[in-house]
mmCIF file of all heavy atoms in Angstrom:
data_model
loop_
_atom_site.group_PDB
_atom_site.id
_atom_site.type_symbol
_atom_site.label_atom_id
_atom_site.label_comp_id
_atom_site.label_asym_id
_atom_site.label_seq_id
_atom_site.Cartn_x
_atom_site.Cartn_y
_atom_site.Cartn_z
ATOM 1 N N ARG A 71 116.947 97.890 96.247
ATOM 2 C CA ARG A 71 117.352 96.905 95.276
ATOM 3 C C ARG A 71 117.713 95.688 96.024
ATOM 4 O O ARG A 71 118.070 95.715 97.175
ATOM 5 C CB ARG A 71 118.543 97.487 94.439
ATOM 6 C CG ARG A 71 119.813 97.680 95.081
ATOM 7 C CD ARG A 71 120.902 98.225 94.167
ATOM 8 N NE ARG A 71 122.084 98.739 94.898
ATOM 9 C CZ ARG A 71 123.022 98.120 95.354
ATOM 10 N NH1 ARG A 71 123.115 96.814 94.969
ATOM 11 N NH2 ARG A 71 123.984 98.660 95.937
ATOM 12 N N VAL A 72 117.791 94.583 95.321
ATOM 13 C CA VAL A 72 118.033 93.242 96.021
ATOM 14 C C VAL A 72 119.122 92.574 95.105
ATOM 15 O O VAL A 72 118.988 92.559 93.852
ATOM 16 C CB VAL A 72 116.827 92.396 96.203
ATOM 17 C CG1 VAL A 72 116.123 92.067 94.885
ATOM 18 C CG2 VAL A 72 117.139 91.132 96.949
ATOM 19 N N GLU A 73 120.127 91.915 95.681
ATOM 20 C CA GLU A 73 121.128 91.278 95.045
ATOM 21 C C GLU A 73 120.963 89.849 95.706
ATOM 22 O O GLU A 73 120.837 89.728 96.977
ATOM 23 C CB GLU A 73 122.462 91.710 95.152
ATOM 24 C CG GLU A 73 122.631 93.088 94.454
ATOM 25 C CD GLU A 73 123.950 93.748 94.636
ATOM 26 O OE1 GLU A 73 124.913 93.181 95.263
ATOM 27 O OE2 GLU A 73 124.234 94.802 94.155
ATOM 28 N N TRP A 74 121.345 88.716 95.051
ATOM 29 C CA TRP A 74 121.315 87.384 95.736
ATOM 30 C C TRP A 74 122.332 86.530 95.203
ATOM 31 O O TRP A 74 122.853 86.618 94.087
ATOM 32 C CB TRP A 74 119.923 86.798 95.580
ATOM 33 C CG TRP A 74 119.554 86.518 94.151
ATOM 34 C CD1 TRP A 74 119.742 85.379 93.479
ATOM 35 C CD2 TRP A 74 118.762 87.439 93.315
ATOM 36 N NE1 TRP A 74 119.295 85.544 92.109
ATOM 37 C CE2 TRP A 74 118.605 86.771 92.052
ATOM 38 C CE3 TRP A 74 118.235 88.622 93.445
ATOM 39 C CZ2 TRP A 74 117.915 87.360 91.060
ATOM 40 C CZ3 TRP A 74 117.588 89.260 92.477
ATOM 41 C CH2 TRP A 74 117.351 88.499 91.238
ATOM 42 N N GLU A 75 122.664 85.560 95.966
ATOM 43 C CA GLU A 75 123.587 84.404 95.697
ATOM 44 C C GLU A 75 122.706 83.196 95.814
ATOM 45 O O GLU A 75 122.039 83.039 96.901
ATOM 46 C CB GLU A 75 124.792 84.388 96.570
ATOM 47 C CG GLU A 75 125.774 85.529 96.493
ATOM 48 C CD GLU A 75 126.769 85.566 97.555
ATOM 49 O OE1 GLU A 75 126.999 84.392 98.229
ATOM 50 O OE2 GLU A 75 127.433 86.540 97.699
ATOM 51 N N CYS A 76 122.811 82.230 94.930
ATOM 52 C CA CYS A 76 122.040 81.065 94.999
ATOM 53 C C CYS A 76 122.780 79.863 94.568
ATOM 54 O O CYS A 76 123.636 80.037 93.594
ATOM 55 C CB CYS A 76 120.726 81.311 94.188
ATOM 56 S SG CYS A 76 119.634 79.978 94.115
ATOM 57 N N ASP A 77 122.537 78.706 95.094
ATOM 58 C CA ASP A 77 123.206 77.496 94.586
ATOM 59 C C ASP A 77 122.369 76.851 93.436
ATOM 60 O O ASP A 77 122.602 75.778 93.022
ATOM 61 C CB ASP A 77 123.466 76.517 95.697
ATOM 62 C CG ASP A 77 122.177 75.975 96.372
ATOM 63 O OD1 ASP A 77 121.050 76.318 95.982
ATOM 64 O OD2 ASP A 77 122.318 75.163 97.273
ATOM 65 N N GLY A 78 121.320 77.493 93.042
ATOM 66 C CA GLY A 78 120.412 76.990 91.908
ATOM 67 C C GLY A 78 119.993 78.193 91.009
ATOM 68 O O GLY A 78 120.947 79.054 90.701
ATOM 69 N N GLU A 79 118.812 78.342 90.878
ATOM 70 C CA GLU A 79 118.166 79.383 90.066
ATOM 71 C C GLU A 79 117.236 80.201 90.986
ATOM 72 O O GLU A 79 116.472 79.571 91.789
ATOM 73 C CB GLU A 79 117.472 78.906 88.815
ATOM 74 C CG GLU A 79 118.258 78.141 87.912
ATOM 75 C CD GLU A 79 117.415 77.610 86.758
ATOM 76 O OE1 GLU A 79 116.364 78.146 86.400
ATOM 77 O OE2 GLU A 79 117.815 76.556 86.189
ATOM 78 N N ALA A 80 117.256 81.546 90.829
ATOM 79 C CA ALA A 80 116.400 82.370 91.572
ATOM 80 C C ALA A 80 116.133 83.708 90.829
ATOM 81 O O ALA A 80 116.832 84.130 90.012
ATOM 82 C CB ALA A 80 116.938 82.728 92.942
ATOM 83 N N SER A 81 114.951 84.242 91.168
ATOM 84 C CA SER A 81 114.598 85.603 90.702
ATOM 85 C C SER A 81 113.832 86.291 91.854
ATOM 86 O O SER A 81 112.944 85.694 92.500
ATOM 87 C CB SER A 81 113.687 85.557 89.484
ATOM 88 O OG SER A 81 113.383 86.852 89.062
ATOM 89 N N MET A 82 114.284 87.515 92.220
ATOM 90 C CA MET A 82 113.643 88.223 93.272
ATOM 91 C C MET A 82 113.448 89.710 92.984
ATOM 92 O O MET A 82 114.196 90.299 92.152
ATOM 93 C CB MET A 82 114.556 88.098 94.565
ATOM 94 C CG MET A 82 114.808 86.701 94.986
ATOM 95 S SD MET A 82 115.843 86.717 96.453
ATOM 96 C CE MET A 82 116.502 85.059 96.334
ATOM 97 N N THR A 83 112.413 90.331 93.616
ATOM 98 C CA THR A 83 112.278 91.792 93.611
ATOM 99 C C THR A 83 111.978 92.287 94.956
ATOM 100 O O THR A 83 111.683 91.508 95.843
ATOM 101 C CB THR A 83 111.224 92.172 92.660
ATOM 102 O OG1 THR A 83 109.971 91.585 92.970
ATOM 103 C CG2 THR A 83 111.436 91.859 91.169
ATOM 104 N N VAL A 84 112.139 93.571 95.181
ATOM 105 C CA VAL A 84 111.875 94.174 96.491
ATOM 106 C C VAL A 84 111.180 95.488 96.397
ATOM 107 O O VAL A 84 111.297 96.229 95.399
ATOM 108 C CB VAL A 84 113.307 94.324 97.197
ATOM 109 C CG1 VAL A 84 114.196 95.323 96.598
ATOM 110 C CG2 VAL A 84 113.086 94.584 98.743
#
Side-chain angles (χ1 to χ4, degrees):
R71 66 183 165 87
V72 61
E73 297 178 359
W74 60 88
E75 296 173 13
C76 179
D77 63 0
E79 298 179 26
S81 176
M82 302 177 201
T83 55
V84 66

